């Protein structure tokens, strides 16, 4: 396994560990009522928002670092989906109207990658 592959595994492990930590913290805060603005009825919005923020930080870090592989299109699509899902609970964005377009874009990108892939 080359160094770039090891670094990719490290950043993925850091992302998933941080996400699990974030989910646990949101549920503890919601269950114990530590912050009144985080409750069980909106906890998933906070989880999605945190996942989007973590994914965005990971993508930006990977984009500017020479030691880590650049994020792929899917990384940016998932980041956008997480952020829109999280922000839809706090803004006028209606995620029910937006998510089909995210799926269409994801499908088009997947097909485009297959058709225009460099050999």
């Amino acid at each position: 396994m080359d160094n770039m592959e090891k670094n990719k595994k490290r950043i993925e492990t850091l992302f998933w560990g941080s996400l699990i930590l974030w989910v646990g913290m949101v549920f503890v805060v919601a269950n114990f009522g530590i912050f009144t603005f985080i409750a069980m009825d909106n906890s998933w919005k906070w989880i999605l928002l945190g996942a989007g923020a973590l994914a965005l930080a990971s993508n930006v870090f990977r984009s500017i670092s020479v030691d880590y592989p650049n994020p792929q299109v899917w990384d940016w699509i998932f980041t956008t989906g997480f952020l829109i899902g999280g922000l839809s609970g706090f803004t006028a964005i209606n995620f029910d109207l937006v998510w089909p377009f995210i799926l269409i874009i994801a499908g088009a990108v997947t097909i485009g990658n297959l058709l225009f892939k460099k050999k």
Side-chain angles (χ1 to χ4, degrees):
M1 182 181 289
D2 67 342
N3 205 23
M4 194 70 88
E5 195 64 30
K6 286 180 184 177
N7 287 340
K8 181 181 178 189
K9 293 263 187 227
R10 285 185 184 135
I11 200 79
E12 288 174 354
T13 302
L14 179 62
F15 170 80
W16 287 108
S18 299
L19 183 60
I20 291 168
L21 181 67
W22 173 251
V23 170
M25 290 179 0
V26 168
F27 282 136
V28 165
V29 168
N31 283 328
F32 290 105
I34 296 171
F35 298 116
T36 57
F37 54 89
I38 300 177
M40 286 307 289
D41 62 339
N42 70 353
S43 60
W44 283 104
K45 302 293 183 187
W46 285 100
I47 290 169
L48 289 174
L49 188 61
L54 287 169
L56 181 62
S58 173
N59 289 349
V60 169
F61 175 77
R62 288 171 52 193
S63 294
I64 62 175
S65 176
V66 295
D67 295 329
Y68 291 86
N70 286 332
Q72 302 298 309
V73 174
W74 277 108
D75 296 321
W76 291 108
I77 290 172
F78 284 125
T79 300
T80 304
F82 286 143
L83 288 173
I84 290 173
L87 289 173
S88 68
F90 308 107
T91 64
I93 298 171
N94 186 352
F95 190 64
D96 293 338
L97 300 175
V98 175
W99 75 266
F101 293 105
I102 294 172
L103 291 177
I104 291 169
I105 291 168
V109 167
T110 302
I111 293 169
N113 282 342
L114 177 67
L115 295 176
F116 302 110
K117 189 174 188 178
K118 293 180 183 177
K119 295 180 181 181

